[in-house]
Structure formats: C-alpha cells, structure tokens
Amino acid sequence: MSGPLVLAIETSCDETGIALVEGGRAVHANVVASQVALHAPAGGIVPEVAARAHLRWILPVLDEAWTAAGVGWHDVDAVAVTRGPGLAGSLLVGINVAKTLAWVHDVPLVGVNHLEGHIYAAWLKDALQDLPDPSFPLVALVVSGGHTFLAEMRDHLSYRLLGATVDDAAGEAFDKVGRLLGLPYPGGPAIQRAAEGAVARDARFPRAWLGDSFDFSFSGLKTASRRTIDARRADARLVPGEPLPEPLTAELAWGFQDSVVDVLVTKTIRAARDTGARSIVLGGGVAANAALRARLAGEAEALGVPLIVPRPGLCTDNGAMIGAAGARRFEAGERAGPDLEARPSLQLASP
Amino acid sequence: MSARRVGGGAAPWLLAIDSATSTVVVVAGTLDGEPIAVETFAAGHRHSQYLLPTLERLVEGADLRLDDLGGIVVGTGPGAFTGLRVGLATAKTLAHQLGVPIVGISPAEALLDAAGGGGVGPPVRLWLPAGPHDRLAVDSGVGPRRERDVPADDTVRMEIAVDLPGRAADAALERGRAAVAGLPAALLRLGARRLAAGERDDPERIVPEYVTPPRGMDPRLDLERGLAWSRGPR
Ligand SMILES: [Zn+2]
C-alpha cells in the first residue's frame, strides 16, 4: 500500500471521527465517538448538544487515533476535514481543529465534501484486505439520517447527481416511524429488528415513485404510516399510551421497511442500467440495514454488476471515509487555505 | 504557512485569544503579561474564517515562533457560542499539540478589569447580550446572571455594555467600547497572573462557559457520559 498518509476529521453531525488513512485505502486508525445516547432523550439530534460534545471530545478522539495508528506526524502528508454539508456548529469544531493542526505541523489542508466521503468509503480496506476497487462508471446510493441520494461517477471526484430526496432523508423516516411504533431511537436498527420478527407480512405501505425521476420522497410514507398505525390501534381498541402488541409492531415495521427498500433498490438498479454502471456502491448509515443490503445484492447480481458495501462502521459517519476522499483531492492538487469555512448546505457536485 | 523554525532561543511568549464578543482579540505578550503585538477584527459571523489567518499574521508580523510559546490564555465566556467554540477549538488544539499550559479566562472579568472595575468598592456592572433579546449582567466579583435575576441595585458604581447597540444607554455603550479596547491587555494580565500562580486547565476538557441551556436540550445532559466509542480496525 502506498500513497499519501492523510489525517482526516469528521464532525458534520453527531459523530466525532478522526482517522489515519494511507493512499485513500488503508485504514491505520479510525476512531469514532458517537453521541447517539446524548440525543436519544430528544428522539433526534439536537445541534447545540452535538456542537458541545464535539468540542469536549475531539482531542481525546485525536489521541486515541494516534494510539491506534503506529505512525507519527512526520509521516502525515495532509490533514483532511469535512467542510460540509452538516450542522454549522458541529462542522466548525472539526474545521478549526484541522486548520490548527495543519498550521502547527506545517502540512497541507484539504476540504472534503461529506457526501463524497460516503461514496469513497467503498475504496477503504482494513489491514491486509485485498479487495478490488470499485470500477467506473459507478452508481452510488447514499442513505442516512441526513441524506438520501443517487449519483453517478464516471471518474474520480466527478459526480453527477441523479436524484435526491425532496423531503425527508430515509434515515429520518425510520426515526419518525420508529417513534410512532413506540420503538427506541435511532429508528433504523429498531425497525429492522422488529421487522425480522414479522409473521404476517400483509401490511402494504405506499411507494412514492415520482414518475421516472431518480428523486425520492418519504414524507407521504410517513403520513401513511401514521394513518395505518392509528387505524390498527383503533381496531385493536388500544387506549392512548398503550403499546402496540408485538406481532402488530413487527408487521407494520416490516411493511414500512419494505416500502423504503423497494423504492431505494428499484431506482438504484434502474440508474445502474441506464448509466451502464460497472459497479454499484452503497453507503450511509442506512446501508447497515440488512433488508436493504440483501435485496440490493440480489438485484445487482441479477443485473451482473458488482455491489460494494463497506462494513457498517465505515457506512456510518467516520473519519476514514473523509481520509479516502481527502487523499484523492490531495493527489489532485487541491489545497484549502487557513480561511476554510464551514459550508452547511454544500451540494455533492458543487465546488 | 509554518511558524515553526529550528534553532533560536528567543524568550518564551504568551498567546491570548478571545472570541466571546463581536470583536475577536488575538494578542501576543511576555510571560509577565506585557503586550507585544495585538490583532483584532470585527467578526460578524466569520470567526471561523478569520481566526487562523489572523493568528498567522500575528505570529509572522511579530517574528514569533510557535516553538517558543510558553502559555495560552483563552476566553471561555459567557458569550456567543459560535465565536467561543472557534476560539476554544483553536486554542485547545494549540495547547494540546505544542504541550504548553492553557488557562481559561472569563472575558467578562477581563472587560471589567479593563474598565477599572476589578478592584474593591461598589460593583461595576457589565451587560452582555444573551441571544437576540435577553441580556446577561456580570457584576465585578459576581458571576453572570440573566437580566430578570438581577436585583435593582443603587450601589452599582457604573454600568458598561458590550455588543448591545440600541439595547443599553449611550454612556454604557461608550464605556463598553473603551473596555473592548483594553481587552487584549487585560486578557494577558489576568492570564499571566493565573499561569504564574501555576494554574492550568486541561486542554481536552476546557469548553465554553455555557450560561443558557439550548432549546431541546435534556436537562440531564452530561457530556462526560453518553458517548459510545468505536476504535476502528485495531
Ligand atoms: Zn453522513
């Protein structure tokens, strides 16, 4: 393995991540301090809480990354940092730490788009893994609590956005419907677990196809879920506050998940066919969903296109994915100045 | 871009950073708190963009070297969270990486000191904004209080107001401007005193002084717990 050694920092949302990545592929360290438990009482991410936790924990995360790495500052070729999109107060903690590190250690600074980081996670390999890189052109589906989009890449750092959610992110829909079902936050893993126990698989939730577009919409599904859950509660004569019986929770969780997975997979496969993709990449926290992975794997195989899904710890927000994208940007000659700013609404293909 | 050079043996210096008010202050001084060079800028919402370039300019302009840095003084608030977080992220990373001591100073205390209210006698009252509508009062010798918790007090010797145009008396605002002008020297003075007394803050743990809990925040929030660690492949 060779190529630049990048120290990468990710603080766009509620994970404080710092990694050391060599050549955009080899992960020497990838430490993440996740704040899920801090946000669970609110049932969603509280931006001010996230910013406070990043500032409190970022240096311990940095220390931990160095402990794991077995390399030193003299080996580091660049510092990469997420500049957007994300929560403004969270982004600027990582950005200012990164700028200071670049200044003190006299190494170049590279700004990375968080969304491309999720795609570049597909190039990452843990020590001694010898997996092939994704080949171009590729289609990437990125699904998480903050984003849901489909993009085409014909070469490194070259993106064409095919479609994106027009309202909620898929992960957000999981959280909201999980709450309606009385399941714990975050909703994704809870709904998956509940759905796995479903005996009856009759609940049918609507799919928002939006014509031929590659865009997604989940707000209608959320409303339909609420209506169905209310109707089933009324049928079962439940009083407010009384939990749904477990078999019913399982059936509704299955029906909701099936709708989300169906739309995501159908559009991704169609995008891969339309663009002549030679690989499909799946990323983002929702990529940990077993039903989504299994269905996409099956349909990709039927299409004859390899599917690359990083292991779950590289799908959720982490520093290594920023290091993977940062290495490409560094090698392409990109450098950020000490005035690098947070860009909370940065788009995938924007400069 | 680097301010680290080899060789030399220049006198150690102090760096003070405060980004709690709309005027960001970056100042270099001697270990006993005498200013060597000062840079200030009106931050608006651009603390994050301008702080590091300003630091670089200060260090290069005064021909200082990071290797000679002997201590860091940083404003911890109360103040605007965004500005404070930028200042603290920068200051704590510097202290951590260079292995130099860091002390947090309340910029309110430094502003009172600059306005001559740090001594004994009837209190001087400093007013600071707390969000777009509320105000905080800091009396010399007393911690910050929300406006509604501050009793009418005719023993207050004088009032000064910072970052409150249209929300404080003209005379108080004028004194506030004078206090801000004296802030760099006051930060260094107070910081140098704490450092000389052997006081140290932990760079990992130093965070802004948060006076108001944000909306939606769980009152049981404990930043020392509730983190789940994933240590990567090894
Ligand atoms: Zn993400």
Side-chain angles (χ1 to χ4, degrees):
Chain A
M1 199 69 74
S2 59
L5 183 69
V6 174
L7 181 126
I9 302 182
E10 154 63 34
T11 63
S12 68
C13 193
D14 64 337
E15 334 264 8
T16 313
I18 298 187
L20 279 141
V21 177
E22 186 178 346
R25 292 186 180 86
V27 181
H28 288 280
N30 186 30
V31 176
V32 178
S34 165
Q35 307 168 9
V36 170
L38 288 178
H39 301 281
I45 292 157
V46 183
E48 176 61 26
V49 171
R52 291 183 185 195
H54 284 304
L55 189 60
R56 165 62 184 91
W57 287 103
I58 193 159
L59 292 179
V61 171
L62 178 64
D63 284 342
E64 194 68 38
W66 279 120
T67 304
V71 289
W73 267 110
H74 54 272
D75 300 312
V76 172
D77 296 296
V79 172
V81 64
T82 304
R83 65 185 184 121
L87 303 168
S90 292
L91 286 166
L92 64 80
V93 173
I95 288 174
N96 283 282
V97 169
K99 285 188 203 184
T100 309
L101 290 174
W103 183 42
V104 169
H105 298 288
D106 194 20
V107 292
L109 179 67
V110 179
V112 172
N113 185 318
H114 177 86
L115 304 176
E116 73 185 352
H118 275 302
I119 302 176
Y120 271 99
W123 271 263
L124 291 171
K125 289 138 184 74
D126 292 338
L128 304 177
Q129 273 185 311
D130 193 20
L131 302 171
D133 287 343
S135 37
F136 297 117
L138 67 79
V139 159
L141 172 68
V142 175
V143 246
S144 74
H147 8 269
T148 302
F149 68 88
L150 257 176
E152 179 198 9
M153 283 178 77
R154 303 201 82 88
D155 200 354
H156 281 298
L157 304 175
S158 145
Y159 312 96
R160 185 163 72 93
L161 189 66
L162 300 172
T165 184
V166 297
D167 39 56
D168 292 350
E172 220 177 331
F174 271 96
D175 286 341
K176 287 175 178 169
V177 172
R179 196 159 44 208
L180 292 173
L181 287 169
L183 296 170
Y185 172 86
I191 285 181
Q192 180 189 317
R193 256 193 318 275
E196 279 163 3
V199 180
R201 299 191 163 179
D202 302 323
R204 169 105 189 154
F205 287 75
R207 277 95 168 120
W209 295 112
L210 309 180
D212 286 340
S213 129
F214 288 118
D215 285 337
F216 303 95
S217 167
F218 297 104
S219 75
L221 173 60
K222 187 184 65 194
T223 311
S225 302
R226 176 180 292 123
R227 259 200 309 270
T228 306
I229 291 166
D230 287 349
R232 295 296 192 93
R233 290 185 65 90
D235 291 347
R237 300 179 186 283
L238 298 177
V239 299
E242 193 178 347
L244 280 167
E246 218 174 285
L248 190 51
T249 305
E251 185 194 348
L252 295 174
W254 181 87
F256 165 78
Q257 178 178 273
D258 188 54
S259 165
V260 175
V261 168
D262 191 15
V263 173
L264 291 174
V265 170
T266 304
K267 293 203 178 208
T268 303
I269 294 295
R270 183 158 55 83
R273 197 182 299 123
D274 286 7
T275 58
R278 294 180 55 213
S279 53
I280 297 173
V281 166
L282 175 63
V286 177
N289 182 282
L292 174 62
R293 292 170 91 113
R295 168 101 184 263
L296 190 55
E299 298 208 11
E301 197 182 344
L303 188 67
V305 178
L307 170 70
I308 295 133
V309 193
R311 66 178 168 83
L314 297 174
C315 285
T316 47
D317 291 351
N318 66 87
M321 69 187 211
I322 302 306
R328 300 287 169 183
R329 292 205 171 270
F330 174 76
E331 288 183 308
E334 282 191 37
R335 302 291 183 266
D339 58 349
L340 180 69
E341 284 187 274
R343 295 273 304 275
S345 350
L346 190 64
Q347 311 259 305
L348 178 66
S350 64
Chain B
M1 184 156 160
S2 174
R4 304 186 83 174
R5 278 164 266 158
V6 282
W13 58 286
L14 283 187
L15 171 66
I17 298 173
D18 180 61
S19 48
T21 74
S22 65
T23 306
V24 174
V25 171
V26 177
V27 52
T30 61
L31 284 193
D32 47 11
E34 286 301 314
I36 298 169
V38 179
E39 294 270 351
T40 63
F41 65 94
H45 295 288
R46 296 288 174 91
H47 301 83
S48 178
Q49 189 179 358
Y50 294 132
L51 180 59
L52 204 82
T54 306
L55 262 173
E56 289 186 3
R57 200 163 54 239
L58 175 92
V59 168
E60 276 158 33
D63 204 22
L64 296 163
R65 307 178 324 160
L66 285 182
D67 284 338
D68 299 324
L69 189 59
I72 297 174
V73 181
V74 62
T76 52
F81 294 164
T82 297
L84 282 170
R85 275 197 278 267
V86 170
L88 273 152
T90 305
K92 71 197 278 171
T93 306
L94 276 174
H96 180 262
Q97 295 293 302
L98 296 169
V100 300
I102 184 170
V103 289
I105 290 289
S106 157
E109 194 192 326
L111 286 163
L112 285 165
D113 192 75
V120 287
V124 174
R125 178 167 292 166
L126 168 70
W127 289 103
L128 293 169
H133 306 295
D134 294 345
R135 299 192 304 174
L136 283 180
V138 185
D139 288 355
S140 46
V142 181
R145 290 174 294 181
R146 306 293 294 227
E147 184 168 16
R148 58 179 167 274
D149 302 326
V150 177
D153 186 350
D154 50 17
T155 68
V156 168
R157 182 152 44 103
M158 72 179 176
E159 293 191 302
I160 63 182
V162 171
D163 291 342
L164 287 164
R167 294 158 66 189
D170 285 349
L173 288 166
E174 188 51 48
R175 285 185 214 108
R177 278 188 284 275
V180 168
L183 180 59
L187 281 170
L188 275 180
R189 194 159 57 233
L190 296 176
R193 205 179 296 159
R194 281 198 63 193
L195 285 164
E199 293 180 43
R200 305 284 184 266
D201 285 313
D202 178 350
E204 295 194 348
R205 287 166 187 272
I206 190 168
V207 290
E209 183 183 337
Y210 296 112
V211 179
T212 49
R215 253 182 314 151
M217 186 150 143
D218 181 5
R220 292 163 300 165
L221 176 79
D222 180 0
L223 289 183
E224 296 303 309
R225 292 162 207 277
L227 272 274
W229 287 76
S230 148
R231 291 181 166 81
R234 295 177 191 206

